[in-house]
Amino acid sequence: VYSPEAKTTSGAATVTKEAEGIWSVALTIDQFALVELSLSPYEKPVVTPNYAGPTFTDPTRKLAAESGLRFILDKMRNGAIPAPASFGVYTNLLDDMSITEIYAHGHHVTAEHMGLLLRVAACMKDEQAFAESYRYVNELMQSKMYGLCNWAIDKDTLGPFIEIGETEDETNAWLNANAPLDDFRVIRGLMAGAAQLGQAGADELADTFLRGMLFTSISDNAFNALSDVPAYPDGLAAFAWDWQEVDDATRTPMAAESSGRGKMTLDPVPVDYQDLYTMGLAAERDPRWLPIVKNATKLLLDSEINNLGLYYNGYQPSGVWTGDFENQGIIQGTHLKTIQVLWIALHLARANIGLSDEEVVLAQASARRSYEFFKAFMTSSVNATYPKGRIPEYLRVDGTDVPNCIGPNNPIGCLEYERDNLFGGEARIYAQLARLAIWMGDVDYAKQLITDLILPEWISDTNDPRYGLIGKSTTDLNNAEAWNVLESVLTMCMAAGGS
């Protein structure tokens, strides 16, 4: 460092390693200085994985987990098309032409399921399944323009699923989109594959997606004078980033244009998108994530309802909390979707990186309240129909059941059981609760949940064409849902000591 200023640092300056691949230099500057940097090539240290994989003590759980993974790999992918497109996981076993604003059904492929499969493959130590999934995400789902993971791949074009929406300066346009929670799922899966399997390239792709998210999908990243979310000005994961990247002159009613224009959707802010654990891992690599981790932790803690261990699922920048953030404007949006509540509890249970001791204590205490709430609800719901208890798809904000719509004089706010509200729950809900139990140090209860509520959802008959399916009671005849299978297999793997 060279400067004629008396108060300016001069001579050799100390370089501090902040994280893997990130260094800083702190200098005192009076008015000006010349800094000369000597650079040399850097390679990340090669770490040989020593991950042993899960150790199943129960042969039934082992068989269910292994057959569940095989069902996904053999029955819910299209082996008739060229690789890597053949490595994409269907949402549903049977094709379904419908698509909503919030979900791609049928044989469309979503980042949610690819992220789950990456985690499952790493946890089960299936190197081939991981390598195939990595190729799919890297070659087909990755946005070369923004370094993001597209939320869905179209079964017909085998390219990003695009929909008509609005940019900041265009009323109608064909838009790509991401879903930040699913980005975090993919990133977490990539990190797991790098650490547990030594998969080349997985860590680098995780870093690419993290950088892309930091500059597109986190609020207040434009450093405007007015905060996007005034109560949480240090950044939160948004609903989505929508952008134009596809060139297709044949699209109607207008051509798709690769202009790069995009916008962030923030209203509402999805509370369960704030994956504190993966954000913390990101902060170890890039300190710019540190204020976001703290900010998101505050949001999650603030979202708890009357210390019940239940959480509002959405937050409007105006300061209003909402129910199911995906279904605003309809009855479901006034209630709490339990899978989202459990996601929030899991985020809080795992939060530790980048937080103070006090923040960790508060986060874990909140997660503990949520865990105890759901355990108590399971016990209180035991009856002849549900001898092992249940957790419905939706709860009212006070933690009680949403009333059933059964006739002409329906109660206010009702949902029709097993159509609008899976009253008996579904496999992925119990898988999430079991994972929360594991993080709470109660592996025995997790295994009990698997035995009582997940294994009965498993098709164990080897003569059945859907052998290995988990989630048989909540899917249509001859159909399957990838989310139930993958969430369940991941939970069984973790209960067996996998990670």
Side-chain angles (χ1 to χ4, degrees):
V1 181
Y2 307 92
S3 175
E5 308 286 344
K7 297 179 181 179
T8 297
T9 300
S10 61
T14 301
V15 178
T16 302
K17 184 175 181 180
E18 299 288 354
E20 192 61 48
I22 299 175
W23 291 264
S24 68
V25 181
L27 304 175
T28 300
I29 303 295
D30 187 356
Q31 294 186 48
F32 65 92
L34 174 66
V35 179
E36 179 182 331
L37 294 175
S38 298
L39 304 179
S40 59
Y42 171 75
E43 293 183 6
K44 289 186 177 181
V46 177
V47 178
T48 303
N50 58 0
Y51 176 62
T55 303
F56 289 94
T57 57
D58 182 282
T60 303
R61 288 199 295 269
K62 182 175 188 291
L63 189 58
E66 291 175 344
S67 66
L69 177 55
R70 288 276 24 125
F71 176 78
I72 291 291
L73 298 176
D74 296 342
K75 298 295 181 69
M76 298 204 56
R77 304 192 299 181
N78 186 358
I81 56 179
S86 56
F87 302 144
V89 175
Y90 299 153
T91 299
N92 302 102
L93 180 61
L94 298 181
D95 200 4
D96 181 347
M97 299 304 290
S98 70
I99 182 165
T100 69
E101 291 183 357
I102 61 173
Y103 223 80
H105 296 279
H107 288 181
H108 298 300
V109 177
T110 68
E112 173 184 354
H113 297 120
M114 296 312 300
L116 282 170
L117 182 53
L118 287 167
R119 281 289 312 278
V120 167
C123 189
M124 295 289 286
K125 206 172 181 180
D126 189 325
E127 296 186 25
Q128 180 177 341
F130 186 92
E132 291 172 351
S133 302
Y134 165 75
R135 275 199 64 192
Y136 188 91
V137 171
N138 184 43
E139 297 177 37
L140 295 184
M141 302 196 93
Q142 180 187 178
S143 161
K144 300 302 190 290
M145 183 177 285
Y146 280 106
L148 294 172
C149 187
N150 279 275
W151 81 282
I153 297 297
D154 191 303
K155 66 185 177 65
D156 297 318
T157 66
L158 302 181
F161 194 96
I162 60 175
E163 297 176 277
I164 295 178
E166 297 181 3
T167 63
E168 293 292 350
D169 55 0
E170 192 167 353
T171 318
N172 288 307
W174 286 101
L175 301 178
N176 297 55
N178 73 329
L181 177 62
D182 299 332
D183 288 11
F184 284 132
R185 281 170 163 152
V186 169
I187 290 163
R188 179 72 183 88
L190 291 168
M191 290 178 174
Q196 294 162 211
L197 305 179
Q199 172 67 45
D203 242 358
E204 287 74 12
L205 185 55
D207 285 338
T208 296
F209 287 153
L210 284 170
R211 281 194 300 272
M213 288 190 71
L214 190 63
F215 293 112
T216 65
S217 308
I218 302 298
S219 66
D220 292 302
N221 57 22
F223 303 103
N224 294 323
L226 298 177
S227 173
D228 295 332
V229 188
Y232 303 94
D234 290 326
L236 297 167
F239 198 116
W241 173 258
D242 301 313
W243 74 99
Q244 293 178 274
E245 187 172 2
V246 173
D247 266 325
D248 185 351
T250 66
R251 289 273 176 172
T252 56
M254 79 286 293
E257 178 187 357
S258 180
S259 71
R261 288 190 294 267
K263 70 168 186 175
M264 184 185 298
T265 303
L266 270 172
D267 196 355
V269 176
V271 181
D272 73 324
Y273 275 28
Q274 318 304 314
D275 185 344
L276 303 180
Y277 185 73
T278 307
M279 286 180 176
L281 295 175
E284 289 186 320
R285 299 163 179 242
D286 186 340
R288 288 174 294 186
W289 282 92
L290 281 171
I292 302 165
V293 176
K294 288 180 171 290
N295 207 45
T297 302
K298 183 178 185 303
L299 176 79
L300 267 60
L301 290 171
D302 290 347
S303 74
E304 186 176 356
I305 303 167
N306 298 327
N307 287 328
L308 285 174
L310 295 174
Y311 309 94
Y312 288 110
N313 300 159
Y315 178 78
Q316 295 171 341
S318 62
V320 177
W321 298 98
T322 66
D324 178 6
F325 75 90
E326 292 178 323
N327 288 297
Q328 298 300 302
I330 61 176
I331 296 299
Q332 284 90 331
T334 65
H335 301 304
L336 304 178
K337 194 163 189 175
T338 54
I339 197 73
Q340 295 172 6
V341 173
L342 284 164
W343 263 120
I344 294 168
L346 276 167
H347 295 333
L348 288 166
R350 299 180 300 177
N352 55 35
I353 305 171
L355 300 177
S356 67
D357 291 343
E358 180 182 5
E359 288 167 327
V360 171
V361 168
L362 290 172
Q364 292 183 350
S366 182
R368 172 69 63 180
R369 287 191 292 273
S370 188
Y371 177 54
E372 297 299 339
F373 170 86
F374 283 110
K375 282 186 71 176
F377 192 98
M378 288 282 295
T379 300
S380 67
S381 61
V382 169
N383 58 30
T385 306
Y386 303 102
K388 301 298 183 180
R390 61 173 178 82
I391 296 172
E393 183 182 9
Y394 284 95
L395 286 170
R396 293 196 290 193
V397 294
D398 63 359
T400 59
D401 274 313
V402 177
N404 191 12
C405 295
I406 54 177
N409 298 313
N410 287 317
I412 296 174
C414 69
L415 294 173
E416 185 178 338
Y417 289 174
E418 306 311 337
R419 188 179 76 91
D420 301 322
N421 179 15
L422 297 175
F423 191 66
E426 57 182 333
R428 64 174 176 169
I429 289 176
Y430 302 116
Q432 292 281 56
L433 180 56
R435 288 219 289 283
L436 182 58
I438 292 169
W439 279 95
M440 291 288 102
D442 197 351
V443 179
D444 288 342
Y445 185 66
K447 291 179 177 178
Q448 192 63 50
L449 285 169
I450 293 169
T451 299
D452 291 346
L453 292 159
I454 296 178
L455 290 182
E457 291 289 313
W458 168 51
I459 294 180
S460 58
D461 180 2
T462 56
N463 294 314
D464 192 306
R466 293 189 299 165
Y467 170 63
L469 163 71
I470 303 172
K472 62 183 182 181
S473 71
T474 56
T475 192
D476 297 329
L477 184 65
N478 298 322
N479 208 351
E481 297 160 331
W483 60 74
N484 276 323
V485 182
L486 290 167
E487 293 278 15
S488 298
V489 174
L490 179 58
T491 294
M492 288 187 281
C493 183
M494 291 179 64
S499 62

